[in-house]
């Protein structure tokens, strides 16, 4: 079964910075950047209505970068950017634009202007418009992790250094009440997972959790932050899981050659973890496990093969979900989608023509998928959105 494209939303040179997210009703917002004439622009589109709006315009792709985008259950949203004063400037600034729950976008707001390069910029938004951000400074001997917080009324805290040096770039998630969680690892030889938390009213606090490699962070609709990660050994043999507020580690997979690839948390508290294996005879296998609210993870289920990133996962209000993955090979990729039904069974494999670029709920039993098509030179030129029917 193939999915027909519902709409072509972009066709432009240097297409990138694609993000797709949705509110609690499944109303999706899609963002992308690319050249429009001689200007490099970032646009946002309401997937439901098709209405578009320009968020930024600059002279060059080297000046502005849409780094991340997030939509809260209420419909509030945030777009976070890096920018430089000119193509020759040697430092980046951090800026945001916020969207109110009723759809009104604010002007650009400066969050930080460090005298350093900014990498790994990530952001999240709460229901009332609270925004939390994290990033790293690069170019020096160390790569510190930074964080900032903007309250619903627009008041802003000064950026805070969370760690002097990190290995894995920080991940961030923001709950409905505006509470924020950042996860990162430190230590080059013995990597340790840390969590930094910012309550809706308060300051950042940081604590060590466990030895870990490649952690993934998600936030469910109840405001509970969840983490999963690989065993830090050379050949991972276990995947571990921890949930706030205690973040007590607990293994949930013990299989040689496993590598966590995605973690999703749903509105009602469901969690989906996806991992790939590289050990014979299951090399390249993509397996998933699902935890329902208050229950342990299910037994692993083989849903396909994993050949290359991206790997996208999401969960819906009814406990259903979807995974978009790429099998095949680098020269002949074969993208596909598998849909998780609310009863825990998986629908048949759905073939997708182009590379998955975004995945979000579109209401009970339905999902919005964004795909990006490359030209003959390997660059993205066309962006489409599709709606997956009920499983």
């Amino acid at each position: 079964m193939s999915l027909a494209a519902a709409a072509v939303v972009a066709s432009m040179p240097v297409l990138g910075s694609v993000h797709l997210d949705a509110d609690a009703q499944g109303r999706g917002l899609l963002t992308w950047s690319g050249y429009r004439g001689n200007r490099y622009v970032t646009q946002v589109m309401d997937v439901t209505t098709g209405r578009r709006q320009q968020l930024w315009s600059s002279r060059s792709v080297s000046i502005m970068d849409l780094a991340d985008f997030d939509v809260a259950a209420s419909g509030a949203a945030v777009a976070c950017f890096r920018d430089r004063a000119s193509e020759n400037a040697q430092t980046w600034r951090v800026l945001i634009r916020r969207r109110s729950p009723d759809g009104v976008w604010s002007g650009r707001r400066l969050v930080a202007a460090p005298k350093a390069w900014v990498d790994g910029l990530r952001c999240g938004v709460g229901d009332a418009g609270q925004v939390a951000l994290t990033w790293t400074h690069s170019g020096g001997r160390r790569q510190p992790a930074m964080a900032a917080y903007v309250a619903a009324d627009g008041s802003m805290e000064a950026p805070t250094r969370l760690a002097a040096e990190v290995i894995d770039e920080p991940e961030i998630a923001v709950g409905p009440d505006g509470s924020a969680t950042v996860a990162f690892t430190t230590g080059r030889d013995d990597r340790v997972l840390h969590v930094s938390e910012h309550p809706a009213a308060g300051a950042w606090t940081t604590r060590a959790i466990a030895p870990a490699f490649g952690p993934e962070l998600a936030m469910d609709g109840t405001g509970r932050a969840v983490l999963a990660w690989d065993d830090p050994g050379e050949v991972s043999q276990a995947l571990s899981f921890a949930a706030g507020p205690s973040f007590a580690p607990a293994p949930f997979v013990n299989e040689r050659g496993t590598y966590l690839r995605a973690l999703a948390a749903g509105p009602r508290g469901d969690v989906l973890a996806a991992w790939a294996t590289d050990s014979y005879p299951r090399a390249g296998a993509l397996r998933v496990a699902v935890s329902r609210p208050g229950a342990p993870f299910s037994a692993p289920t083989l849903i396909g093969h994993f050949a290359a990133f991206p790997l996208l996962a999401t969960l819906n209000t009814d406990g259903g979900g979807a995974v978009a993955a790429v099998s095949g090979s680098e020269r002949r990729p074969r993208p596909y989608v598998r849909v998780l039904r609310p009863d825990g069974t998986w629908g048949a494999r759905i073939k997708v023509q182009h590379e998955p670029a975004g995945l979000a709920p579109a209401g009970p039993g339905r999902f919005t998928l964004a795909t990006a098509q490359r030209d003959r030179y390997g660059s993205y030129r066309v962006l489409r959105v599709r709606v997956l029917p009920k499983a």
Side-chain angles (χ1 to χ4, degrees):
M1 174 182 180
S2 296
L3 294 173
V8 176
V9 299
S11 180
M12 57 177 63
V14 197
L15 173 65
S17 300
V18 179
H19 301 275
L20 173 65
D21 201 3
D23 64 16
Q25 285 70 47
R27 295 175 298 215
L29 291 177
L30 178 70
T31 61
W32 69 93
S33 299
Y35 275 103
R36 194 175 184 181
N38 62 355
R39 303 291 292 181
Y40 189 72
V41 300
T42 292
Q43 300 181 70
V44 59
M45 186 186 83
D46 185 314
V47 175
T48 303
T49 65
R51 180 185 176 188
R52 303 183 192 186
Q53 183 172 342
Q54 184 171 290
L55 294 180
W56 197 306
S57 174
S58 70
R59 297 185 303 275
S60 169
V61 62
S62 64
I63 295 176
M64 175 268 291
D65 172 45
L66 172 63
D68 201 9
F69 183 78
D70 188 46
V71 178
S74 67
V78 63
C80 57
F81 297 86
R82 306 183 304 169
D83 92 315
R84 297 194 291 175
S86 69
E87 294 187 35
N88 296 323
Q90 298 300 304
T91 60
W92 290 93
R93 301 186 304 169
V94 175
L95 301 98
I96 61 171
R97 287 195 67 177
R98 296 194 296 174
R99 178 184 187 263
S100 66
D102 57 2
V104 178
W105 283 96
S106 68
R108 293 197 294 265
R109 176 80 182 276
L110 178 66
V111 174
K115 296 180 179 180
W117 293 100
V118 171
D119 288 320
L121 176 59
R122 298 290 182 267
C123 59
V125 64
D127 280 345
Q130 310 95 325
V131 173
L133 308 94
T134 186
W135 65 90
T136 62
H137 291 164
S138 63
R141 297 180 60 184
R142 292 189 172 187
Q143 184 172 317
M146 307 297 295
Y149 192 88
V150 182
D153 63 4
S155 59
M156 188 167 56
E157 300 173 7
T160 299
R161 191 174 76 169
L162 302 180
E165 184 176 22
V166 296
I167 305 301
D168 292 305
E169 289 185 344
E171 300 285 338
I172 194 167
V174 177
D177 68 348
S179 58
T181 302
V182 176
F184 56 88
T185 59
T186 64
R188 295 187 178 276
D189 297 325
D190 299 313
R191 297 192 185 185
V192 176
L193 171 62
H194 290 73
V195 164
S196 294
E197 296 174 282
H198 190 295
W204 292 100
T205 59
T206 301
R207 52 180 158 150
I209 303 300
F213 181 84
E216 295 284 343
L217 169 68
M219 182 82 73
D220 68 22
T222 71
R224 181 186 63 148
V226 295
L227 291 160
W229 62 88
D230 296 338
D231 180 276
E234 291 185 6
V235 180
S236 182
Q237 297 183 7
L239 303 180
S240 292
F241 176 80
S246 67
F247 293 107
F252 70 99
V253 172
N254 191 357
E255 182 180 0
R256 184 176 176 83
T258 59
Y259 296 92
L260 183 70
R261 297 305 186 191
L263 184 72
R268 67 181 197 180
D270 305 273
V271 179
L272 185 154
W275 64 93
T277 60
D278 68 355
S279 297
Y280 181 84
R282 292 182 294 275
L286 179 62
R287 297 160 74 83
V288 299
V290 177
S291 170
R292 299 305 189 185
F297 277 96
S298 64
T301 300
L302 175 66
I303 65 167
H305 288 86
F306 173 83
F309 286 106
L311 176 64
L312 309 175
T314 191
L315 285 162
N316 218 329
T317 54
D318 58 1
V323 173
V326 179
S327 64
S329 65
E330 183 177 352
R331 296 186 63 182
R332 292 188 176 181
R334 296 175 181 173
Y336 66 94
V337 173
R338 293 290 302 273
V339 173
L340 171 69
R341 302 185 182 97
D343 65 4
T345 60
W346 288 85
R349 174 187 174 118
I350 302 172
K351 295 179 181 179
V352 179
Q353 187 175 6
H354 302 297
E355 183 176 303
L359 183 66
R366 295 172 67 81
F367 301 90
T368 301
L369 175 72
T371 59
Q373 180 181 349
R374 296 179 186 268
D375 61 19
R376 61 179 180 174
Y377 303 106
S379 300
Y380 293 125
R381 293 299 297 270
V382 179
L383 181 65
R384 296 182 173 91
V385 289
R386 307 172 176 194
V387 177
L388 282 69
K390 291 184 178 181

